[in-house]
Structure formats: structure tokens, C-alpha cells
Amino acid sequence: MAKDLQPKIEAHDFNFFYGQKQALFDINLTIPERRVTAFIGPSGCGKSTFLRSINRMNDLIEGTVINGQMVVDGTNVYDKEVDVVTLRRRIGMVFQKSIPFPKSIYENITYGLTLNESRTKAELDEIVEFSLRRSALWDEVKDRLNHSALGMSGGQQQRLCIARAIAINPEILLMDEPCSALDPISTAKVEELIDELKDTYTIVLVTHNMQQAGRVSDFTGFFLMGSLIEFDRTRTIFTSPSKKETEDYITGRFG
Amino acid sequence: MNNPFRTTRRNTGELIAEWSIRAVASLSIIVIFLIFVFVFREASTLFLGDSDEATPQSAQVSQQDSAPPTASTSEPEVYNPEAEEPEVYNPVAEAPSSGEEGAPGEFIYIATNPAYPHIYNPSTGLIPPDIDAASTEEDVVLGDTLSFTENFFSSTWQPVGEVPKFGIVPLLIGTAKTTLIAILIGAPLGILAALFVAFFAKPWIREIVKPGIELLAGFPSVVIGFFCLVSVASWVQDITGVPYRLNAIVGGIGLSLAVIPIVFSIAEDALSAVPKTLREASLALGSTEWQTAYRVMLPAAAPGVFAAVLLGIGRAFGETMIAIMATGNAPLSTFSPFEPARTVAATIGSEMGEVVWGSEHYGVLFLLGVLLFVFSFGLNAITELYVKTRFIKRFQGK
Ligand SMILES: Nc1ncnc2c1ncn2[C@@H]1O[C@H](COP(=O)(O)OP(=O)(O)O)[C@@H](O)[C@H]1O
Ligand SMILES: [Mg+2]
């Protein structure tokens, strides 16, 4: 890894099981700080499973087992002392399907903020505006902050979910196919947003769209059947991959 | 160790909330199941042939030691169709009388009649305070000179007698009183149990508890009524020391036992219908299970939970058998929860059997039936039209 890159997330021999079924096999990789890292691969190869292992969302599924280490900022997140609630407050997550709460736009953004500390209205107003500006939504919704978030378009809802994640000031943003349900214009907006956010956050992006990985990411990992086949700079993966499977996938020979 | 995630900054209030929801929910579930046990315990004396409690009746009497052992307290279960006024249950009858009256049967009737407050011995203090000057005044002009509507909205319900009185006010008050108590107890317990089963319980616990409580929704209400009459009434009297063994509180508790399964099963359905993705989204923002449950899932399911409460109210005021057995069944115009009450449904249930077909009394009972019907139809209509459309809107945007 180049000198200017700090490791943010590291997986060491990470294995993951849904009950008896192994979904991830000996994953080893290092995700650098303040860069966009993309995971590509055919559907069912374990990309989401890996992403959800970082903020321990897989804990919610009954009967999952892990072994190996998932290290964030030098700490194995599966250590006993790690409080999963605190962990998740430092790692924002955006899902494939936008999931606004059935509340107002304003309340959607402030939800994460008011969970554990009380803040003044002025502080909240400021953070709401900041988050909405950062997610390029402010101009579109500033006059209807108190309207239901469910009245927004799909693309706006997804950007609202990004704003909601940004509002709690995380260090890492996990995005699981954030554009797969969006039209091309909304997709372009979200990609633009990712580009802007990467100076501040470490972004990990799962995508089934290789062009998207090529456009927005600095590093790319290729998953196949639960194994990480190759992990390198995006340019290298797309121009001179070292593994035959990667090349086959990139050139569209399967998947 | 500079582990950045080590701090557990969950505040104690929240932990207490999280644990108390578990505790209260488990408690309410246990209480519901204990009803089975108590009912069977009362019945078991028959089979086990306990020496001093040979029959259920003697068991009851021994439990009533603290209450004056008069005919009136046991009247609901020792029901005698030959009696002159079987439906007029009168807790006041036990008061020492001043001796103006003739046969005891007549005395019961007259003593219930607030038209003759002067026959009471003032030292007993058993005249409900709400039988006030207004009703006395009105009673000076006796029933036959009252128009039907005046009679109907007066505060005396005495359908059988020389001057029949059909004042439904005490019945409405009794219904409101017991329904309110039932819903104040039943709704929170039902909702908490639903929250517990929907979000906190392990899958195998859910598999047992959910069908279990739902089965209780079909539990014969006469058994619940019996249970309240025998056990709950004694507990309430032991704790509060009220003079009347059967009163609105006991009735309300009994009705709440019928309300809980309804509220539970509908609220649980509503909570489970909230998309699981909302829960994930909330947890991913670093909220605890409890915060997720009460700040996201409960509001999202609010229309359904509201519907559950409405239907619970409908169940409470429509319930007949529990109301007859556990409330004391006396039509008093008092808001005190510690005095007997009589509901509209209980009135129909206990008087319809011996009413003269086609009489005024018969008509009034049917009118009460219509009242009940309109009320519960209204509640159901609100639930259907308003609540359900809102619920759907909530998840489909505008
Ligand atoms: N909740 C689950 N229970 C059991 N198996 C699962 C679950 N979620 C995913 N899997 C399995 O794990 C594998 C990886 O899934 P996933 O990580 O979702 O793949 P991707 O996101 O790359 O499409 C798949 O074979 C899938 O069937
Ligand atoms: Mg996936």
C-alpha cells in the first residue's frame, strides 16, 4: 500500500457461516482510509455478507458464526469489549433499497442524533442543513423539511438515507448497491456525491455495475463464490488483472 | 487499552427501560397463564376431596370471610329465579334497616331506590354520595308523571316495580367506568406483550407465547368471570379494604383479561407487519433495540396499535358474562371505581331472560342493544376506514 494511505479496515483470515453454510472463505484485505473501495462479483458471491460483517449487522441473523478478525482502527470489532451500538455509530450504512423512516424529512435526519444526546434546536437545524447540503438534497427539500420523507422520489429517498448516515458523523460509510434501484440521473447524482464525500469518509461500496466501480472507486475487490479473488487499485483491476477469473468477469465472459 | 469502541455509553435509564419491558411483558404473560392454574385450582377441590373445602361453594364462602356473609354478595352465583327481584343486586341490603319495611324481598327493592333515601340509616354511610339532590327532587315527581325521555335519562334504573324506572345514566356510567379501567390495564399490557413478542423474544419463545395468548382470546368469558368473582375480588378487597367485594375495579380487571388477548394479537400483527428493513436501518444508525422498538417500530405501527386498542374497547364494553359476574351488577350513578357498577351489556344479559315480551322494559332493553350495536359498529368503522387506510398510506408514500 502506498505511503499516503492509512489502513482503516483490515480483514484477517475472515470466515463467515450462515449456520452450516459457509459464505466467506479466508478473506484477507486492507481498505485504506478516505478512499472509495468497491466490491464487485456475481450475485451471491458474498459481497453483502462481507460489508455487513464490518458493522456487525449480521449479528441480527440467527445462527451466524464468524472466525478470523475484522479490524477497524486497530480493534477487532468482534472482540468481547466492543459495544456494537457504539461501533455502528461510527460506521454509517446505506442499503440497496432506500429505507426512510415514516417520519418527516427533518426527523429522518435527526433520528440518529437524538438517540443518545440531547441537542438544541439550533444545533439540529445546523446539522440537518449541513447533511442535506452534503448529500446535494438541500435545494430540493429545504421548503418541505416537515413533510413526510415517503413523499420523496426514489432517488431523493436514497440521498436522504445518505444524509441520515452522514448526520451522525461516521468515519466509514458502507453502501450496499446504493444505485441498483435508481434511474440513471439519480445514479449520476449519487455517484457525484460519493466522489465528494470520499475526502471525509472511508467509503466501501458494493456494486453489481462494473462501470460504476470503474467510475467512482480507487480500489476494487473481486469476489467469487465467497472468496476474494483479487484486490488492487481499480485501474490495475480493470486494465491488467493478475487473475484469469477477474479478467473473465471484467470482460463479461460470465456473471 | 485505547480501544475506541470500548465505551458502553448506553445510559442507565435506557437499560432499565429495556429490562422493565422484558419484566413487565413476561409478567403479564405469566399472569395470563396463571389464570388457567387458578381456575383449575378452584375446581381441583372437587377431585382432590379436600377435607375443609369439599365443594367450590364452600371454598368461596371461606374466601368471603372479610365481607359480610349476606345473600347479596353471593347472589350472582346463587341465582334464584323464584326471587321477587332477582336482577336487582343490592349491596346496600346488608345495612341495618330502620324497620319500616315488610318482607326482605321488598326491602331489597325499596332500599335500592334512591327515591327513598330517608329509609336509610345515615350511620351506615352506604348511600352512594352521587345520588344527589337532583335525583331526589326528580323522584318527588314519581315515575308515572315523567315522560319517557325524562325517565330514560334519569339516574335510576328500576325496570320492575310499581313505577318502572328506565334511567340509563347509571348503566352508561357503569359501562364507561369498567371499560376505562379495563382498557387502562389491558392496553398497556397487551401492547408491551406484543412488543416483547415481536422484537425482543427469541424465536422459540415467540412460537410458544404467541399462539398461547391468541388461544386465550377464545377463552370462555364465564370462566374469567368466575375467576374474578372468586379470586380477584378477594385480592382487591384484601389490598384496598373496600366495603363492596364486587366493584368496578374487579369488573375492570376481569374485562382487561378479555381485552389483553385482543390488543395483543392485533398489535402484534401490526408490529410484525412493519418492514424488517426499518429495524435494520434504525439499528445501523446505532440505536438500541429498545430505541428502535419505541421510536421507529411502534410509531410506524401506530395505526394498527390504535386499531388494537379500539377493538379492545369494543370487546370491553360488549362483554357480558364477566360484567355480570364481577362488577357487582348494581346500577349506581357513581363514578367511584370502588363501588359496584352495571354495564349496558350486563343489563341486557341479566334481564332479557325474564322480561315480559313486548313490555316497555322489553323495548328499553332492545334500545340498549341498539345503542351497543351502534357504538361498536362506530368503533369498527373507525378502525376499518380511518386507521387501515392510514396504515397503508404510511408504507406507500402519499
Ligand atoms: N440470511 C441468510 N441466510 C442464509 N444464507 C444467506 C443469507 N444471506 C445470504 N446468504 C447466502 O450467502 C451467500 C452470499 O450472499 P450475499 O452476501 O448476499 O451475496 P451478494 O451480496 O454478493 O449477492 C449466498 O449464497 C446467499 O444465498
Ligand atoms: Mg448483495
Side-chain angles (χ1 to χ4, degrees):
Chain A
M1 197 155 278
K3 281 203 191 70
D4 60 326
L5 296 174
Q6 296 294 320
K8 186 74 177 172
I9 305 167
E10 298 158 76
H12 299 300
D13 295 325
F14 191 80
N15 291 278
F16 187 92
F17 302 81
Y18 290 106
Q20 298 293 312
K21 184 176 184 292
Q22 186 161 8
L24 292 175
F25 298 83
D26 289 323
I27 308 294
N28 283 289
L29 58 74
T30 302
I31 294 172
E33 192 169 22
R34 287 169 218 251
R35 292 291 183 278
V36 180
T37 301
F39 291 125
I40 57 172
S43 138
C45 64
K47 308 180 294 288
S48 300
T49 303
F50 183 79
L51 202 69
R52 292 163 55 92
S53 298
I54 298 173
N55 65 342
R56 291 182 54 177
M57 286 305 282
N58 286 327
D59 289 13
L60 302 179
I61 301 169
E62 208 68 25
T64 57
V65 179
I66 65 118
N67 71 55
Q69 293 197 317
M70 180 68 76
V71 177
V72 175
D73 282 335
T75 305
N76 181 7
V77 299
Y78 288 92
D79 266 357
K80 274 204 191 65
E81 312 95 86
V82 170
D83 180 42
V84 68
V85 172
T86 315
L87 173 73
R88 289 185 191 142
R89 294 187 70 73
R90 295 185 41 178
I91 305 181
M93 186 160 203
V94 178
F95 298 84
Q96 179 166 1
K97 194 169 169 294
S98 60
I99 314 164
F101 299 129
K103 299 169 181 279
S104 72
I105 295 172
Y106 188 92
E107 288 168 325
N108 260 276
I109 309 252
T110 56
Y111 176 74
L113 292 166
T114 52
L115 286 174
N116 296 293
E117 52 237 272
S118 52
R119 292 178 191 258
T120 64
K121 179 90 171 70
E123 279 176 315
L124 289 178
D125 286 346
E126 192 184 323
I127 297 171
V128 167
E129 179 169 348
F130 170 82
S131 316
L132 286 172
R133 280 194 191 283
R134 289 237 59 179
S135 52
L137 206 53
W138 177 250
D139 292 328
E140 291 164 56
V141 302
K142 62 169 183 271
D143 299 322
R144 51 187 183 116
L145 291 178
N146 291 318
H147 291 216
S148 168
L150 298 175
M152 306 168 86
S153 74
Q156 288 175 327
Q157 287 188 0
Q158 193 61 300
R159 279 179 285 147
L160 179 73
C161 291
I162 296 174
R164 186 171 72 187
I166 292 173
I168 56 172
N169 198 22
E171 292 158 32
I172 299 169
L173 265 185
L174 306 177
M175 299 187 173
D176 192 351
E177 306 197 17
C179 301
S180 65
L182 301 185
D183 59 88
I185 295 173
S186 305
T187 301
K189 281 191 180 161
V190 172
E191 285 182 10
E192 230 171 84
L193 184 58
I194 292 173
D195 215 48
E196 269 176 41
L197 295 175
K198 74 175 179 189
D199 296 339
T200 323
Y201 308 100
T202 304
I203 296 176
V204 187
L205 173 76
V206 166
T207 175
H208 61 257
N209 178 334
M210 265 178 300
Q211 287 74 29
Q212 184 172 62
R215 280 194 299 267
V216 301
S217 71
D218 303 299
F219 288 82
T220 297
F222 172 57
F223 275 87
L224 188 60
M225 289 166 70
S227 298
L228 181 67
I229 303 296
E230 194 168 350
F231 185 81
D232 212 326
R233 286 190 182 272
T234 300
R235 208 181 316 118
T236 317
I237 292 273
F238 278 85
T239 53
S240 49
S242 51
K243 296 272 173 37
K244 181 154 185 324
E245 294 97 319
T246 316
E247 193 178 343
D248 287 349
Y249 185 72
I250 302 281
T251 54
R253 241 166 276 166
F254 75 91
Chain B
M1 279 267 295
N2 54 351
N3 167 6
F5 305 118
R6 193 160 190 179
T7 49
T8 37
R9 30 86 274 145
R10 262 183 252 184
N11 62 47
T12 29
E14 221 174 276
L15 282 178
I16 292 169
E18 216 162 309
W19 277 106
S20 54
I21 190 180
R22 282 167 196 271
V24 175
S26 334
L27 198 71
S28 65
I29 288 161
I30 290 169
V31 164
I32 293 166
F33 280 106
L34 278 184
I35 297 168
F36 273 111
V37 179
F38 277 105
V39 168
F40 278 102
R41 202 202 58 182
E42 294 301 333
S44 68
T45 50
L46 271 179
F47 308 106
L48 301 178
D50 214 76
S51 55
D52 52 358
E53 291 188 352
T55 64
Q57 272 90 347
S58 70
Q60 280 164 38
V61 172
S62 68
Q63 286 193 7
Q64 290 171 0
D65 283 348
S66 50
T70 64
S72 61
T73 41
S74 51
E75 190 154 304
E77 64 270 24
V78 188
Y79 168 70
N80 176 11
E82 245 81 88
E84 276 183 31
E85 310 288 344
E87 71 282 6
V88 182
Y89 163 78
N90 177 22
V92 188
E94 37 199 272
S97 71
S98 54
E100 282 178 27
E101 298 79 34
E106 262 173 56
F107 165 67
I108 288 174
Y109 167 57
I110 294 168
T112 335
N113 190 344
Y116 304 102
H118 57 274
I119 67 159
Y120 289 113
N121 179 346
S123 67
T124 62
L126 286 172
I127 303 165
D130 280 327
I131 298 175
D132 52 5
S135 70
T136 328
E137 238 170 68
E138 175 190 291
D139 291 323
V140 173
V141 194
L142 281 173
D144 39 358
T145 57
L146 289 173
S147 76
F148 177 73
T149 35
E150 275 173 317
N151 195 353
F152 199 60
F153 293 107
S154 78
S155 57
T156 310
W157 176 263
Q158 259 158 21
V160 182
E162 240 168 87
V163 184
K165 301 207 163 185
F166 300 113
I168 61 163
V169 172
L171 307 182
L172 295 183
I173 291 175
T175 306
K177 216 159 61 162
T178 50
T179 302
L180 188 71
I181 294 167
I183 214 70
L184 285 181
I185 299 170
L189 289 184
I191 292 170
L192 281 177
L195 272 175
F196 174 77
V197 166
F199 304 125
F200 292 88
K202 296 214 157 51
W204 68 268
I205 297 179
R206 180 177 322 157
E207 294 312 314
I208 296 170
V209 169
K210 193 176 161 189
I213 297 184
E214 283 174 354
L215 269 182
L216 286 176
F219 209 59
S221 51
V222 68
V223 178
I224 297 177
F226 179 68
F227 165 68
C228 293
L229 187 85
V230 173
S231 306
V232 176
S234 302
W235 299 335
V236 170
Q237 197 167 40
D238 286 350
I239 293 166
T240 61
V242 288
Y244 308 117
R245 216 176 154 270
L246 298 178
N247 52 45
I249 291 265
V250 176
I253 292 173
L255 292 175
S256 78
L257 295 177
V259 163
I260 288 171
I262 300 257
V263 173
F264 168 82
S265 78
I266 296 168
E268 206 273 337
D269 284 349
L271 289 169
S272 312
V274 177
K276 292 277 164 292
T277 50
L278 273 184
R279 176 165 170 255
E280 289 210 337
S282 170
L283 291 173
L285 282 169
S287 65
T288 58
E289 286 280 2
W290 166 241
Q291 288 169 329
T292 302
Y294 92 104
R295 293 189 51 167
V296 176
M297 306 307 267
L298 197 55
V305 173
F306 186 56
V309 174
L310 285 186
L311 292 176
I313 293 174
R315 174 76 212 252
F317 75 70
E319 172 55 45
T320 306
M321 200 32 104
I322 299 173
I324 290 177
M325 294 173 82
T327 56
N329 217 17
L332 305 179
S333 290
T334 165
F335 287 99
S336 162
F338 294 108
E339 291 194 50
R342 182 195 272 203
T343 71
V344 172
T347 304
I348 301 174
S350 51
E351 295 179 7
M352 204 47 134
E354 60 260 11
V355 73
V356 178
W357 193 86
S359 67
E360 194 181 14
H361 185 194
Y362 178 88
V364 171
L365 288 184
F366 263 84
L367 209 57
L368 288 176
V370 170
L371 199 74
L372 269 190
F373 174 79
V374 168
F375 208 77
S376 63
F377 182 80
L379 269 183
N380 282 304
I382 294 173
T383 319
E384 274 306 315
L385 298 176
Y386 173 72
V387 176
K388 289 201 176 155
T389 49
R390 271 201 63 193
F391 195 40
I392 292 163
K393 255 193 215 157
R394 213 166 256 249
F395 292 109
Q396 296 179 347
K398 283 284 134 77

